[in-house]
């Protein structure tokens, strides 16, 4: 590490030496409120400079300043106080409540700063303490449950987890619905944010609706998450901060399986069966699995353990260590931060090693302010295939899983599936990635009212991946099983470069004593380039030699090069009247290279209005009940850049069966986008109400309601055979999204030493499909034999459809009297929807003399999901339901029989027709075939209550640290996802949040995903 970053450290120290420090001293003190209670979060700056700090929880602060400097103290709801530095080193006082007090400054689109009263769109700021309180290494996941309207799903629960980030529901059917990520003023990506060490993030502002993100044009249609990284301190000496944490990770739960019947088939115990169709458990010692290398069998009690497959997983660890150096003066600052994460997952051999380096600086040079940062991230990930969990599920509950770790496939507990330990060691993937992001910020003050700003960024991502599968040949094939596995090897390289540049002019004037004007005009340029090369093949000639020359036959090859560009002109105008009425108008025109030249220009306007009633009518605050009241609203029309590069162009693909000998052949792609395609359009309406009550805003209430009309949605439709195309992508669909959010903040107790904050948020959103196309009312996002995710006209989106039971008008399941089997529908039926009716989040923190106890939890309900795990367990006899009733035929609950005719049905309650037959074989056949063929059996209630975070920490007082050379020290313990409560029908089959992809086909939980995990850990943070 020393060699790798010595150049950066040398540059950092050289810059520090060059800073010209005045004859400064440290000013400290305590700020209190009107009641004499400590006031945390007061902004203190040296007037006319960028030097600043904030008071801590006890109201204490310290800042470097020179005699004669003016210190400005500001806090929302209080009068700004200015104090001149004299000979004294301590400045302490109580702030005064004033309706004209400076409001909190919030960073909005394009890095523009606005006060809370000026905002016309709903936003939520999450500070650094909330992000890092539970030591989550993934900054995206740290936002879960803390922002109303923000749904974050973990779509892959492996060592390098992936997420899906959606604000206010789904607007596009087949396009991107995820929020835009902006880091330090420039557009970035969710992957970049997930790989950014949370310790270097200063604050996160979530702009929920299009009205606040319209200046980003088509890229801001799904809301924006604006992330600001930390800057250097104002201290003339180098300040060093160290953070360290260790977490222990284990599997939270595995699917519950029946523990009444053991390994076997048709009621007969068979030691090498995957099924749980054996005889009833009796506790006797029985052989398990195939013979071991010495010919012996592993013996175990013939009894059940529903959690036996959990023994495959180990306790994982997550180590995080970081150090940050910063320094500065009145005119500038620098910061260097190095953070490392090392994760050993719950699957042996699955590992992650990630290092993030941030170098950031800022300097005021007369009228020029020059700043920027460089973030470098390198990550190494080693994994096996999560499909091993699919095969692990085919394990009877009497199998002592851990005893087969060294048995290989030839000595596995079943002859029909591979040993997951063998898969773990012989199917391996590795990836090495680097991310480099350079940001430059230049500002020139033309005069007191006009400045010119340029924000530029170059972001580069490189990835090298390598995977192999070793060969295994099953020469015995016991019971007709076959463990044989074909050897494979492949590797790929990809690189992506994103160039981003904003340049705009800001205007700030007081037109009269009462009317203010701020305006912005500028342009944006983006250039995105991507290339990838992939090669793979099978049947390695020399086992264990992983080289493409070692495969048999011609390798499969693929490469692509893509480039798209965007040019934009944009502007905004904000008018304010007497600090209580604000009008905001924005406009942006995008030109994109992805569409035809005559259809690639799009204009996106917005207008918003904010009225601060308590500033307009100060009498409302009399009596000390109502402190703050604001109503705001906005309208915006934005787009969604749905079309990918070259999608409207005809492309050639290699024909099937070629190359053949020395010949090659290509055919036109049978899927093409309409050349007249345009961007999707989203017209948004939003209304917000913000209230605060009692002194110190002890009660805070925010309410937002919104509606978006989504038109020209890009959808694939089937074309006629005469066209030569299989399908085409056109602008035909339309939908409407509605919802509202309520945020209630309470401070029930606040004394000198004790404070309790409680925030409850509620959000609901619904997207209904208005139209698919003139020729169709439905389009499939993902469709399989018995289940799929659809967009259907007149229905909520996304919709789960599949095979279901036939029912009479009373809802009773119809039974075939000749077979006893329930009758199933001939076509797909609506089985549920994957979007919850509502989400409730709760965040609370209790502070007492340096002790901080915090918790985050949420509750999602009103939606469903298809549990692939339950489907996979059904045919092999592992379902709890398959063991209920003694594995005999039964009267199907709430069933009926048609005693009339098909034309004139007469339905009577079923009292004597048996489902499942009269023998063990009949019963097995029912579950393996009839039961499994009805997807309705596997669509479950997706309701979930989760405790996302628990943390307890203690911050030592400055008095306790003054003799040990530390300025701060905090120790803590934490837990992430410690508790999850699911409906009884979801017997741990899956976490409803985890899906098959990060796309819009949510609601399908497939088997190739690891079970969810929970962590418990400790943290250390110190500064000197």
């Amino acid at each position: 590490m020393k060699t790798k970053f010595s150049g950066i450290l040398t540059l950092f120290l050289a810059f520090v030496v060059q800073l010209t420090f005045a004859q400064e001293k440290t000013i400290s003190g305590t700020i209190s409120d009107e009641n004499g209670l400590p006031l945390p979060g007061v902004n203190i700056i040296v007037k006319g400079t960028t030097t600043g700090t904030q008071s801590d929880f006890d109201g204490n602060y310290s800042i470097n300043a020179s005699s004669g400097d003016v210190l400005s103290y500001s806090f929302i709801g209080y009068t700004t106080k200015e104090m001149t530095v004299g000979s004294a080193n301590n400045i302490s006082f109580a702030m005064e409540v004033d309706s004209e007090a400076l409001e909190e400054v919030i960073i909005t689109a394009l890095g523009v700063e606005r006060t809370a009263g000026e905002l016309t769109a709903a936003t939520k700021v999450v500070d650094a303490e909330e992000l890092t309180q539970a030591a989550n290494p993934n900054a995206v996941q740290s936002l879960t449950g803390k922002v109303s309207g923000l749904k974050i799903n973990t779509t892959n629960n492996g060592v390098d987890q992936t997420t899906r980030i959606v604000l206010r529901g789904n607007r596009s059917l087949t396009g991107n619905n995820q929020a835009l990520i902006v880091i330090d003023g420039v557009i970035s990506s969710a992957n970049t944010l997930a790989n950014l060490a949370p310790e270097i993030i200063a604050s996160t502002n979530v702009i929920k609706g299009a009205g606040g993100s319209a200046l980003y044009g088509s890229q801001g249609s799904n809301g924006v998450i604006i992330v600001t990284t930390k800057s250097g301190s104002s201290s003339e000496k180098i300040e060093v901060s160290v953070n360290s944490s260790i977490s222990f990770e284990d599997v939270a739960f595995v699917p519950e399986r029946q523990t009444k019947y053991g390994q076997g088939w048709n009621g007969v115990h068979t030691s090498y069966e995957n099924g749980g169709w054996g005889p009833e458990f009796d506790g006797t010692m029985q052989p398990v699995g195939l013979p071991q290398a010495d010919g012996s069998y592993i013996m175990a009690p013939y009894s059940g353990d529903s959690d036996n497959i959990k023994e495959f997983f180990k306790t994982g660890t997550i180590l995080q260590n970081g150090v940050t150096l910063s320094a500065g003066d009145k005119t500038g600052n620098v910061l260097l931060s190095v953070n490392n994460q090392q994760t050993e997952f719950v699957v042996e051999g699955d590992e992650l090693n990630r290092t993030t380096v941030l170098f950031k600086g800022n300097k005021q040079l007369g009228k020029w302010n020059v700043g920027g940062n460089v973030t470098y991230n390198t990550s190494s990930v080693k994994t096996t295939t999560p499909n091993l969990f699919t095969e692990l599920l085919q394990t009877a509950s009497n199998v002592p899983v851990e005893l087969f770790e060294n048995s290989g496939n030839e000595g596995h507990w079943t002859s029909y599936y591979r040993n997951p330990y063998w898969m773990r060691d012989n199917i391996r993937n590795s990836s090495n990635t680097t991310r480099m992001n350079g940001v430059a910020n230049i500002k020139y003050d033309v005069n007191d009212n006009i400045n010119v700003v340029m924000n530029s960024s170059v972001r580069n991502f490189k990835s090298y991946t390598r995977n192999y599968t070793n060969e295994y040949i099953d020469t015995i094939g016991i019971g007709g099983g076959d463990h044989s596995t074909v050897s494979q090897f492949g590797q790929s390289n990809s690189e992506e470069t994103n160039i981003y540049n904003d340049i705009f002019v800001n205007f700030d004037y007081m037109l009269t004593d009462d009317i203010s004007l701020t305006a912005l005009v500028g342009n944006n340029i983006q250039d995105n380039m991507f290339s990838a090369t992939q090669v793979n093949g099978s049947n390695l000639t020399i086992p264990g030699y992983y080289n493409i020359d070692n495969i048999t036959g011609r390798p499969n090859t693929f490469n692509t090069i893509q480039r798209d560009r965007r040019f934009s002109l944009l502007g905004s105008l904000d008018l304010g009247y007497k600090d209580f009425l604000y009008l905001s108008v924005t406009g942006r025109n995008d030109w994109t290279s992805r569409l035809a030249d005559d259809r690639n220009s799009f204009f996106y306007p917005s207008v918003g209005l904010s009225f601060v009633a308590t500033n307009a009518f100060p009498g409302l605050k009399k009596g000390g009940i109502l402190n703050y009241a604001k109503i705001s609203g906005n309208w915006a029309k934005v787009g969604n850049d749905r079309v990918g590069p070259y999608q409207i162009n005809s492309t050639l693909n290699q024909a099937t069966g070629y190359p053949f000998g020395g010949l090659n052949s290509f055919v036109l792609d049978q899927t093409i986008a309409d050349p007249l395609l345009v961007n999707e359009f989203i017209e948004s309406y939003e209304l917000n109400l913000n209230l605060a009550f009692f002194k110190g805003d002890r009660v805070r209430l925010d309410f937002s309601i919104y509606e978006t009309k989504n038109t020209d949605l890009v959808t694939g439709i089937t074309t006629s055979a005469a066209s030569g195309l299989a399908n085409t992508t056109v602008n035909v669909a339309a939908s409407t999204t509605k919802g509202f959010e309520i945020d209630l903040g309470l401070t029930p107790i606040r004394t000198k030493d004790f404070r309790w904050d409680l925030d409850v948020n509620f959000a609901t959103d619904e997207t209904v499909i208005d139209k698919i196309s003139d020729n169709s009312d439905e389009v499939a996002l993902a469709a399989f034999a018995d289940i799929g995710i659809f967009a259907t006209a007149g229905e909520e989106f996304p919709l789960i459809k599949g095979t279901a039971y036939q029912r009479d008008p009373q809802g009773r399941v119809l039974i075939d009297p000749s077979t006893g089997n329930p009758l199933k529908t001939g076509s797909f039926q609506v089985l549920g929807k994957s979007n919850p009716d509502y989400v409730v989040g709760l965040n609370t923190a209790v502070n007492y003399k340096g002790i901080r106890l915090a918790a985050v939890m949420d509750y999602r309900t009103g939606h469903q999901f298809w549990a692939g795990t339950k489907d996979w367990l059904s045919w092999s006899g592992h379902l709890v339901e398959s063991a209920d009733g003694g594995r005999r035929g039964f009267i199907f609950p709430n069933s009926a029989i048609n005693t009339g005719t098909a034309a004139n049905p007469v339905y009577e309650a079923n009292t004597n027709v048996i489902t499942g037959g009269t023998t063990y074989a009949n019963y097995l056949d029912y579950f393996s075939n009839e039961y499994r063929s009805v997807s309705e059996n596997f669509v479950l209630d997706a309701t979930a209550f989760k405790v996302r975070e628990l943390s307890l920490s203690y911050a030592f007082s400055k008095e306790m640290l003054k003799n040990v050379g530390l300025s701060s020290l905090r120790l803590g313990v934490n837990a992430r996802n410690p508790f999850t409560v699911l409906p009884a029908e979801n017997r741990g089959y899956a976490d409803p949040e985890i899906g098959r992809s990060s796309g819009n086909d949510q609601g399908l939980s497939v088997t190739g995903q690891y079970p969810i995990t929970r962590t418990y850990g400790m943290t250390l943070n110190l500064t000197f």
Side-chain angles (χ1 to χ4, degrees):
M1 183 69 71
K2 181 178 179 181
T3 302
K4 192 171 186 179
F5 302 117
S6 60
I8 296 176
L9 185 58
T10 301
L11 177 62
F12 170 81
L13 295 175
F15 190 27
V16 171
V17 172
Q18 292 176 12
L19 292 172
T20 303
F21 296 107
Q23 297 300 312
E24 294 181 328
K25 58 183 178 179
T26 300
I27 305 299
S28 61
T30 302
I31 310 300
S32 57
D33 64 12
E34 72 281 8
N35 298 315
L37 299 177
L39 192 60
V42 176
N43 294 305
I44 303 117
I45 64 170
V46 179
K47 194 172 181 180
T49 74
T50 59
T51 301
T53 188
Q54 282 190 339
S55 61
D56 63 17
F57 173 75
D58 297 316
N60 299 320
Y61 76 95
S62 64
I63 190 170
N64 287 0
S66 304
S67 295
D69 285 345
V70 176
L71 299 182
S72 176
Y73 301 79
S74 61
F75 189 77
I76 184 171
Y78 292 85
T79 303
T80 298
K81 185 81 170 178
E82 294 186 350
M83 305 289 283
T84 302
V85 177
S87 58
N89 294 334
N90 183 284
I91 298 178
S92 302
F93 60 91
M95 297 196 72
E96 298 178 0
V97 177
D98 190 345
S99 61
E100 301 299 322
L102 180 68
E103 293 189 83
E104 179 186 9
V105 174
I106 297 172
I107 298 176
T108 63
L110 301 179
V112 176
E113 295 183 348
R114 292 285 184 262
T115 64
E118 294 176 296
L119 299 178
T120 65
T123 65
K124 172 66 175 178
V125 176
V126 181
D127 61 28
E129 185 176 44
E130 290 180 271
L131 276 180
T132 58
Q133 64 187 10
N136 195 322
N138 189 317
V140 174
Q141 291 178 332
S142 294
L143 293 170
T144 306
K146 298 171 183 175
V147 180
S148 62
L150 175 63
K151 290 194 287 286
I152 297 176
N153 287 4
T154 300
T155 56
N156 174 23
N157 198 44
V159 66
D160 190 17
Q161 297 178 343
T162 57
T163 54
R164 184 173 189 263
I165 312 166
V166 175
L167 273 165
R168 293 185 168 179
N170 301 288
R171 285 160 287 275
S172 178
L173 303 188
T174 58
N176 179 34
N177 279 302
Q178 297 200 60
L180 179 69
I181 305 297
V182 175
I183 302 177
D184 287 333
V186 298
I187 288 176
S188 188
S189 69
N191 283 336
T192 300
L193 178 57
N195 281 271
L196 198 65
E199 288 76 17
I200 64 177
I201 296 175
S203 67
T204 302
N205 181 27
V206 180
I207 301 178
K208 301 179 183 180
S213 58
L215 273 178
Y216 289 109
S218 60
Q219 292 169 293
S221 61
N222 300 316
V224 182
I225 297 177
I226 298 176
V227 176
T228 304
T229 59
K230 293 181 178 178
S231 298
S233 71
S234 60
S235 174
E236 67 179 53
K237 71 172 185 177
I238 297 178
E239 182 180 275
V240 181
S241 298
V242 177
N243 61 273
S244 183
S245 71
I246 180 170
S247 298
F248 299 96
E249 183 176 25
D250 61 23
V251 170
F253 56 81
V254 294
E256 180 185 355
R257 291 160 304 129
Q258 61 88 9
T259 56
K260 190 174 181 180
Y261 300 91
Q263 193 174 22
W265 207 262
N266 280 330
V268 178
H269 175 258
T270 307
S271 66
Y272 55 81
E273 269 294 350
N274 62 287
W277 291 112
E280 192 168 352
F281 287 130
D282 59 11
T284 60
M285 297 297 291
Q286 296 289 340
V288 182
L290 299 169
Q292 302 303 294
D294 61 359
S296 66
Y297 283 86
I298 291 176
M299 303 296 290
Y302 190 61
S303 57
D305 176 8
S306 187
D307 282 345
N308 66 329
I309 61 174
K310 207 173 182 180
E311 297 301 321
F312 171 80
F313 301 97
K314 68 168 190 173
T315 297
T317 57
I318 303 173
L319 297 174
Q320 298 178 80
N321 293 285
V323 59
T324 299
L325 296 83
S326 66
D329 66 3
K330 301 176 186 177
T331 63
N333 54 69
V334 288
L335 176 144
L336 174 65
S337 181
V338 181
N339 290 268
N340 177 260
Q341 175 193 347
Q342 296 183 46
T343 299
E344 293 185 0
F345 191 51
V346 295
V347 176
E348 185 74 40
D350 281 21
E351 301 172 352
L352 177 147
N353 191 326
R354 176 179 295 145
T355 299
T356 304
V357 180
L358 170 67
F359 178 71
K360 190 172 186 179
N362 178 274
K363 184 71 174 177
Q364 185 76 41
L365 302 168
K367 291 188 174 184
W368 292 89
N369 187 290
V370 180
N373 64 73
V374 176
T375 305
Y376 178 80
N377 176 282
T378 178
S379 181
S380 172
V381 180
K382 299 176 181 179
T383 64
T384 183
T385 171
N387 287 326
L388 66 81
F389 188 61
T390 302
E391 304 201 16
L392 180 61
L393 287 170
Q394 292 299 318
T395 305
S397 60
N398 62 285
V399 176
V401 169
E402 68 279 8
L403 299 183
F404 288 83
E405 181 170 7
N406 300 311
S407 298
N409 287 327
E410 55 270 65
H412 187 29
W413 61 73
T414 174
S415 64
Y416 300 104
Y417 290 91
R418 293 171 293 183
N419 188 326
Y421 292 104
W422 183 91
M423 296 176 70
R424 180 195 70 186
D425 299 335
N426 289 274
I427 304 177
R428 302 300 305 171
N429 311 289
S430 64
S431 67
N432 292 279
T433 61
T434 59
R435 289 177 169 85
M436 191 284 294
N437 188 28
V439 178
N441 313 113
I442 300 174
K443 178 182 176 183
Y444 177 73
D445 294 318
V446 178
N447 53 42
D448 291 341
N449 306 106
I450 303 174
N451 62 64
V452 181
V453 175
M454 184 182 76
N455 296 322
S456 295
S457 169
V458 177
R459 182 160 47 97
N460 180 263
F461 170 79
K462 293 181 180 179
S463 174
Y464 168 71
T465 64
R466 188 169 179 261
N467 60 80
Y468 67 82
T469 300
N470 289 327
E471 182 182 64
Y472 177 77
I473 300 176
D474 188 346
T475 58
I476 302 176
I478 293 178
D482 189 356
H483 289 124
S484 296
T485 302
V486 176
S487 58
Q488 298 179 22
F489 172 73
Q491 66 181 41
S492 64
N493 298 278
S494 65
E495 180 173 5
E496 183 175 0
T497 301
N498 310 99
I499 299 174
Y500 179 97
N501 187 79
D502 281 324
I503 183 166
F504 46 85
V505 183
N506 291 301
F507 304 88
D508 190 350
Y509 284 94
M510 288 299 299
L511 300 181
T512 70
D513 290 342
D514 297 329
I515 301 176
S516 64
L517 177 147
T518 58
L520 174 153
V521 291
N523 87 297
N524 169 257
I525 297 174
Q526 296 180 52
D527 195 344
N528 306 303
M529 291 158 282
F530 174 79
S531 64
T533 302
Q534 184 181 81
V535 58
N536 62 73
S538 57
N539 290 306
L540 302 184
T541 303
I542 302 174
Y545 176 46
Y546 307 116
N547 189 290
I548 202 65
D549 291 334
N550 192 37
I551 70 165
T552 302
R554 182 183 176 91
N556 302 311
T557 58
F558 169 81
N559 78 292
T560 184
I561 299 175
Q562 296 180 357
R563 184 182 186 186
D564 69 275
R565 288 168 287 175
R566 184 191 311 269
F567 177 81
S568 307
L569 293 176
L570 52 95
S572 68
L573 174 67
D574 293 87
L575 295 171
Y577 179 71
K578 286 188 175 180
D579 295 326
F580 68 79
L581 185 64
Y582 300 95
L583 172 69
S584 177
V585 180
T586 73
R588 174 171 176 142
N589 202 96
D590 284 350
W591 287 266
T592 175
S593 67
R594 297 184 178 188
L595 298 173
D597 291 343
D598 60 341
R599 305 177 72 83
N600 67 352
S601 174
F602 304 96
F603 180 66
Y604 305 118
S606 80
V607 60
L609 190 67
S610 172
F611 175 66
V612 184
T614 44
N615 287 352
F617 308 107
L620 294 173
K621 302 176 69 173
K622 291 182 179 179
I625 297 178
L626 181 63
N627 257 10
Y628 184 81
K630 185 187 86 168
I631 186 170
S632 61
N634 62 76
W635 168 88
K637 188 174 183 180
V638 294
N640 192 343
D641 197 353
R642 162 67 178 84
V643 185
Y646 319 124
Q647 192 171 344
I648 65 170
N649 304 108
S650 297
T651 57
L652 291 172
N653 297 316
Q654 194 174 62
T656 303
Y658 286 87
F660 181 76
L663 300 177
N664 208 349
S665 179
F666 294 88
V667 295
L668 282 172
D669 190 354
Q670 290 187 302
T671 301
I672 189 173
D674 184 353
L676 302 180
L677 210 63
V678 298
N679 281 349
E680 299 177 337
F681 279 95
I682 297 167
E683 189 171 5
S684 169
Y685 304 85
E686 180 183 37
L687 184 66
N688 307 297
L689 176 65
N690 307 97
L691 302 172
F693 300 91
F694 309 111
K695 288 184 177 181
D697 296 343
R698 299 284 287 273
V699 179
R700 304 164 297 278
L701 179 64
D702 299 327
F703 175 80
S704 298
I705 186 170
Y706 58 89
E707 176 178 297
T708 64
K709 292 289 187 180
N710 318 306
T711 57
D712 286 329
L713 300 183
V714 176
T715 308
I717 62 172
T718 303
T719 56
S720 67
S723 68
L725 299 173
N727 57 71
T728 185
T729 304
V730 294
N731 295 109
V732 287
S735 68
T736 300
T737 301
K738 297 180 181 180
F740 67 88
E741 299 146 0
I742 302 173
D743 291 82
L744 175 64
L746 303 171
T747 306
I749 303 174
R750 181 180 172 188
T751 66
K752 181 179 179 180
D753 296 324
F754 187 90
R755 176 169 179 152
W756 177 24
D757 291 303
L758 180 68
D759 292 283
V760 181
N761 61 72
F762 174 94
T764 179
D765 64 79
E766 178 185 79
T767 298
V768 175
I769 305 300
D770 301 322
K771 174 187 175 183
I772 294 297
S773 73
D774 294 335
N775 301 317
S776 176
D777 289 333
E778 187 170 85
V779 62
L781 279 71
F784 303 98
D786 298 315
I787 196 71
I789 303 297
F790 294 82
T792 305
E795 299 281 357
E796 190 171 344
F797 173 78
L799 198 66
I800 305 172
K801 299 184 71 174
T803 52
Y805 290 118
Q806 292 186 29
R807 299 177 184 271
D808 69 4
Q810 297 183 43
R812 296 176 296 188
V813 174
L814 295 179
I815 302 297
D816 184 342
S818 62
T819 64
N821 292 325
L823 297 173
K824 65 179 182 179
T825 57
S827 59
F828 277 14
Q829 303 295 308
V830 175
L831 300 178
K833 61 186 182 68
S834 60
N835 189 54
D837 283 345
Y838 61 87
V839 179
V840 180
L842 185 146
N843 307 286
T844 185
V846 175
N847 293 272
Y848 176 71
K849 290 186 176 182
I851 299 174
R852 184 174 189 271
L853 175 64
V856 179
M857 56 196 75
D858 65 10
Y859 176 74
R860 306 184 186 191
T861 191
H863 56 315
Q864 295 76 34
F865 79 109
W866 177 79
T869 298
K870 184 181 181 184
D871 169 83
W872 184 236
L873 294 173
S874 64
W875 64 273
S876 48
H878 298 306
L879 286 186
V880 172
E881 293 89 333
S882 73
D884 290 341
R887 290 194 162 167
R888 299 185 300 272
F890 60 97
I891 303 295
F892 198 99
N894 193 33
S895 61
I897 295 175
N898 180 11
T899 59
T901 65
N904 297 292
V906 176
Y907 302 111
E908 295 183 1
N910 176 29
T911 59
N912 57 3
V913 177
I914 295 176
T915 298
T918 58
T919 67
Y920 202 116
N922 295 150
Y923 192 84
L924 186 157
D925 181 69
Y926 165 72
F927 268 92
S928 295
N929 296 294
E930 298 299 327
Y931 182 87
R932 194 187 185 197
S933 67
V934 182
S935 294
E936 181 180 338
N937 292 314
F938 314 114
V939 174
L940 308 176
D941 185 353
T943 295
F945 170 76
K946 291 189 175 184
V947 177
R948 302 281 184 175
E949 296 179 354
L950 290 176
S951 62
L952 175 65
S953 63
Y954 177 71
F956 291 80
S957 66
K958 294 184 182 296
E959 290 74 16
M960 298 174 67
L961 299 174
K962 62 183 179 181
N963 295 323
V964 295
L966 297 177
S967 57
S968 70
L969 173 63
R970 181 179 289 272
L971 302 175
V973 294
N974 59 73
R976 299 191 299 274
N977 295 323
F979 305 110
T980 299
V981 180
L982 302 172
E985 67 181 48
N986 182 359
R987 301 177 184 272
Y989 296 125
D991 180 349
E993 291 179 27
I994 296 180
R996 64 185 294 268
S997 76
S998 295
N1000 299 335
D1001 55 342
Q1002 299 298 298
L1004 299 180
S1005 177
V1006 296
T1007 57
Q1009 293 275 17
Y1010 291 124
I1012 67 168
T1013 58
R1014 57 192 173 196
T1015 65
Y1016 304 91
M1018 299 170 285
T1019 61
L1020 165 69
N1021 304 95
L1022 61 88
T1023 304
F1024 58 90

